[in-house]
Amino acid sequence: MTTRTRLIFAALPAALILSACGGGDGGDGDGGGGGAEGVDWSAEPTGTLSAWGFNNADDVGQSRLDYAEEQLADVEIELDATGFDAQKFTTRLASGDVPDVVQMDRRYVATYAAQDLLMPLDECYAAHDVAPEEDYYPFVIDDMRLDGQIWGVGQFFQPPAILLNMEVLNEAGVSPEDIDTSQPDVLLDAIEAMYQEDGGVPSRLGLDPVATGQGELWILGMGGQLTDADGVPTLDDPSNLAGLELLQQITDAQGGFAEVKSFTDSFDTFGENNQYVANQVGAQVNAQWYPNVLVPYIDDLELQAVPFRGPDGEPFSVASGTAFVVPAGAENPTAACAWMLNLTSLEGWEAAGQARGETREADGGINTGLFTGSPQADTNIREEWVVPTGNEGLDQVISTYYEVLGYGQTYGASPAGQDIQNELNNAITTTLLGEASAEDALADAQAAAMRAYDNITAGG
């Protein structure tokens, strides 16, 4: 075990320390175990594959699982179909119960890579003639790139955009062009025209910016940066002030952050009286999947969408999604590599597109597309399965989300990725509540993020 890894496990509860180097010093002949140096990534996949992921797999997930299993006829796949849990992951590694593949949020990947807990996968890609930056969106790959190496196989990129409630906009005399984040004065006028309150309490928001759920979109989209090129936190960079100050203007124009947050917490977001049906928002930042929630109520709604725009007026988006990784000590990394790449291959995604298309044809639902993390797969699925819905507004929404796919940006891979996210949210909350200036809040966030970064990278 390296010095860095010893320090990581020293910080764990005693019950987790056990044998940190336990499973993974040999393997069973199915591609080798231990470090990536001894792995023959191009060998024929055989043996047993232990995979952790795909909790509550739907038609999209099951079709890809079936496709990958068909391609690996000589591999027995044992699937732990539960959600990722960081405590469970470190427990399993410490006890020697090392899965061959783990599915996790891409924000975790660099953290575990910096702790020497993952295998780099550049040679995995090369052995299967996969060009990461071509077969996947480059910014999806950049989410998992640290120290010049790629540490995961990415899936999904469901970009955010601003979903408009045209009934509210029309009532207030606001046009979709007014919901333009690159023109704050125009945007704030539109927000104030749509905003309503009752007794000083919001009853309708002109724009719900989802400040602590989409905070990174506002910071990065307004020209900020969360890390430098090496993954070191940069939360106190002056460029981060613009996005935070715009968020403060938006919430202050609608009764203040405390009132806005209390109001949005009351939304029936997934129910029949959601914020669009109830006309509680004129606009809201939403990821691509949310229009699916509104589809059952589409006959009672008038929807459109506009992209989030940076200061230059160009559309902007950030890449969120999940990844497959191979833990250090995995007993069958060869099969793991082949399985991950089959799951995210063009053919695997086309199988998923067909499954979703057939599901929608059977249930009479609307197909809003799949956003896979792979550009060719997105194009093929859209061309074959995403047809006009008969609702002009919904068609425009679907098109908008597809249009912003090409404008993605990585959050920035960092060993302290999760801590950066948490500390940024703390800074946003503190600033919007008026408890500290934006500069002071970001400085405090930077100090906390750097402590986490230094702890994780100690001895590296």
Side-chain angles (χ1 to χ4, degrees):
M1 184 166 36
T2 66
T3 300
R4 182 184 302 172
T5 307
R6 281 197 297 272
L7 288 166
I8 294 302
F9 281 105
L12 296 174
L16 299 186
I17 298 176
L18 300 177
S19 54
C21 292
D25 56 348
D28 57 4
D30 299 328
E37 308 82 26
V39 177
D40 183 0
W41 297 104
S42 60
E44 189 69 23
T46 60
T48 299
L49 172 70
S50 170
W52 177 15
F54 284 94
N55 57 308
N56 299 318
D58 57 7
D59 51 349
V60 171
Q62 191 58 54
S63 60
R64 294 164 60 218
L65 286 169
D66 292 343
Y67 173 79
E69 185 174 3
E70 290 171 2
Q71 309 312 305
L72 304 178
D74 294 329
V75 177
E76 179 182 352
I77 301 168
E78 297 178 349
L79 184 63
D80 174 0
T82 58
F84 178 78
D85 177 86
Q87 183 81 356
K88 178 179 175 181
F89 182 57
T90 52
T91 300
R92 291 187 67 169
L93 296 189
S95 66
D97 177 20
V98 183
D100 296 307
V101 178
V102 179
Q103 181 181 358
M104 62 176 63
D105 190 287
R106 289 200 291 271
R107 300 301 297 275
Y108 282 104
V109 173
T111 301
Y112 292 122
Q115 299 173 23
D116 295 329
L117 299 180
L118 304 180
M119 292 187 185
L121 299 178
D122 301 78
E123 293 183 13
C124 161
Y125 284 109
H128 291 264
D129 296 321
V130 174
E133 292 84 357
E134 297 176 11
D135 292 352
Y136 305 81
Y137 292 104
F139 38 85
V140 169
I141 296 298
D142 287 343
D143 277 350
M144 306 172 292
R145 191 191 303 275
L146 185 70
D147 297 333
Q149 295 179 294
I150 303 171
W151 300 87
V153 174
Q155 60 171 356
F156 299 114
F157 167 38
Q158 296 176 308
I162 303 176
L163 191 60
L164 308 180
N165 183 347
M166 291 307 300
E167 182 175 342
V168 172
L169 266 72
N170 291 335
E171 178 185 312
V174 172
S175 73
E177 291 74 24
D178 295 329
I179 311 302
D180 186 345
T181 50
S182 72
Q183 300 186 66
D185 291 343
V186 174
L187 176 64
L188 289 167
D189 285 346
I191 289 171
E192 292 175 357
M194 292 185 283
Y195 173 71
Q196 294 181 359
E197 61 180 41
D198 184 6
V201 177
S203 57
R204 174 183 294 173
L205 298 180
L207 168 64
D208 176 11
V210 195
T212 55
Q214 295 282 356
E216 291 145 314
L217 171 67
W218 291 90
I219 300 300
L220 294 171
M222 289 293 109
Q225 64 171 40
L226 306 182
T227 70
D228 67 13
D230 297 319
V232 180
T234 58
L235 292 178
D236 59 350
D237 190 285
S239 65
N240 294 331
L241 290 173
L244 185 47
E245 290 172 348
L246 180 55
L247 279 174
Q248 187 165 30
Q249 289 178 292
I250 290 170
T251 53
D252 285 352
Q254 301 179 102
F257 178 69
E259 294 290 353
V260 169
K261 186 67 166 62
S262 178
F263 183 50
T264 58
D265 284 348
S266 73
F267 288 170
D268 184 24
T269 302
F270 298 98
E272 61 184 13
N273 195 40
N274 60 72
Q275 63 274 21
Y276 285 85
V277 170
N279 285 333
Q280 293 172 311
V281 295
Q284 185 181 48
V285 176
N286 276 298
Q288 178 273 334
W289 55 265
Y290 191 68
N292 290 287
V293 175
L294 301 180
V295 162
Y297 319 105
I298 196 63
D299 290 341
D300 299 318
L301 297 173
E302 296 179 55
L303 300 178
Q304 287 191 38
V306 295
F308 189 99
R309 296 185 184 276
D312 59 1
E314 292 298 314
F316 180 89
S317 189
V318 283
S320 59
T322 56
F324 298 110
V325 299
V326 179
E331 294 188 355
N332 199 350
T334 299
C337 172
W339 191 68
M340 296 184 299
L341 294 181
N342 273 294
L343 287 168
T344 59
S345 67
L346 179 60
E347 294 79 10
W349 282 119
E350 287 178 337
Q354 179 175 345
R356 176 53 55 86
E358 292 174 350
T359 297
R360 288 294 166 260
E361 288 176 353
D363 64 18
I366 293 173
N367 193 335
T368 61
L370 292 180
F371 289 66
T372 68
S374 300
Q376 191 61 57
D378 286 344
T379 297
N380 290 6
I381 292 170
R382 182 184 188 186
E383 290 177 351
E384 184 166 0
W385 296 105
V386 181
V387 299
T389 66
N391 183 300
E392 185 176 347
L394 183 57
D395 288 340
Q396 190 272 342
V397 168
I398 294 170
S399 292
T400 297
Y401 279 103
Y402 269 107
E403 288 164 7
V404 299
L405 276 173
Y407 293 92
Q409 178 175 317
T410 178
Y411 286 112
S414 173
Q418 282 293 311
D419 295 280
I420 290 170
Q421 183 179 36
N422 294 338
E423 295 305 330
L424 177 61
N425 278 333
N426 290 340
I428 290 171
T429 299
T430 299
T431 301
L432 300 190
L433 286 174
E435 296 175 354
S437 67
E439 293 92 337
D440 289 345
L442 288 172
D444 289 343
Q446 173 69 7
M450 278 304 303
R451 285 194 295 272
Y453 178 87
D454 290 338
N455 286 336
I456 292 170
T457 58

